[in-house]
Amino acid sequence: MNWFRQNRLLGALLIAFGICTVIMLILLYWTGSKLATARGEFDKATAERARLETLDPFPNDANYHKLKDYIANYHVMLDKFKAELKKEMIPETPLAPNEFQSRLRQATVATLNRARANNIKLPDNFRLGFDEFATALPRTAVAPLLGQELSQVQMLINILLDARIDGVTSFHRMPLTEEKEPKAAPTATPAPVRAGRRGGPTQKAASPETGGLASRVFE
């Protein structure tokens, strides 16, 4: 005790060194425990990998039959869902091109009036995505399909307008495959026929005068 009082600086250094040694030992113990845990997890993962590599990758018969049952049930549920979805679809009705254009005008006016009543802003010149048919008639074969799609689009827009949204900034419709004009089969143009051999003079048909002259010479 007297020595510590006489050498306070050295004693303080010894105490600090002892504290640092204890802290270092604690850190070494903590690091060693973490290393042991990591090594154990690594050995476990290595053993699991070795076990998986030795397994047969193909399913057994029981699991294969279960998978077939799951797929069959999935197809049944999918067909049932398709049937229910088809019931909710708007049916396709015969429609002439001019009737479709008239329905498009009526649907556009009704949509604009509903949007104005609900104070909802629509894009300028809004025609429910059928802009190209505002002034042009569709083909007769595609008019019923366009009428069916027009009813579906109008129903969708009415749902949005009744929900009192802030506005519709843009609305685009993907054209139907049937809307594209069928391409005409290309007609093969006959190649010009050129008489005579390659590199040789072109033979011309003999005129009546030359034909008569040749006959007189040979006579």
Side-chain angles (χ1 to χ4, degrees):
M1 196 68 176
N2 294 331
W3 179 86
F4 181 75
R5 290 178 180 177
Q6 294 176 0
N7 302 282
R8 290 185 177 181
L9 180 60
L10 183 59
L13 291 175
L14 290 175
I15 292 174
F17 179 75
I19 293 173
C20 292
T21 303
V22 172
I23 294 174
M24 187 178 297
L25 291 175
I26 293 173
L27 291 177
L28 287 175
Y29 176 77
W30 178 68
T31 305
S33 62
K34 286 190 65 177
L35 179 62
T37 304
R39 184 178 294 276
E41 293 178 355
F42 175 76
D43 294 339
K44 184 178 179 181
T46 304
E48 181 66 16
R49 178 185 175 184
R51 186 186 69 83
L52 293 176
E53 288 179 349
T54 56
L55 292 178
D56 188 3
F58 297 99
N60 53 26
D61 293 338
N63 291 335
Y64 178 70
H65 290 302
K66 285 183 180 179
L67 179 62
K68 289 183 65 176
D69 293 339
Y70 290 152
I71 294 175
N73 294 334
Y74 170 76
H75 283 297
V76 171
M77 295 177 63
L78 183 61
D79 294 338
K80 184 179 179 181
F81 176 72
K82 288 181 179 179
E84 293 178 355
L85 188 62
K86 190 176 293 184
K87 293 178 182 178
E88 301 296 331
M89 291 180 60
I90 299 176
E92 177 185 347
T93 56
L95 194 67
N98 56 347
E99 293 176 351
F100 166 75
Q101 197 173 50
S102 177
R103 282 186 55 185
L104 176 60
R105 294 195 186 99
Q106 295 174 3
T108 302
V109 172
T111 302
L112 293 176
N113 292 335
R114 179 173 291 194
R116 193 178 299 109
N118 293 334
N119 197 17
I120 298 174
K121 185 178 180 181
L122 296 177
D124 297 334
N125 299 325
F126 183 67
R127 294 187 178 89
L128 300 173
F130 297 89
D131 299 346
E132 62 271 24
F133 301 113
T135 56
L137 292 175
R139 292 188 293 111
T140 305
V142 78
L145 297 175
L146 291 174
Q148 182 185 24
E149 189 176 21
L150 175 61
S151 301
Q152 295 171 353
V153 171
Q154 188 179 10
M155 183 184 299
L156 174 62
I157 292 296
N158 290 338
I159 292 174
L160 295 177
L161 296 180
D162 293 340
R164 297 186 180 276
I165 59 177
D166 294 335
V168 178
T169 56
S170 63
F171 187 86
H172 300 283
R173 181 187 66 90
M174 290 295 295
L176 298 174
T177 308
E178 293 80 358
E179 294 183 36
K180 299 179 180 179
E181 291 287 344
K183 296 182 179 180
T187 56
T189 56
V193 179
R194 188 175 181 181
R197 297 179 181 177
R198 181 179 295 179
T202 304
Q203 297 179 357
K204 297 182 179 179
S207 61
E209 293 82 1
T210 56
L213 179 61
S215 62
R216 288 196 297 271
V217 170
F218 281 106
E219 288 177 356

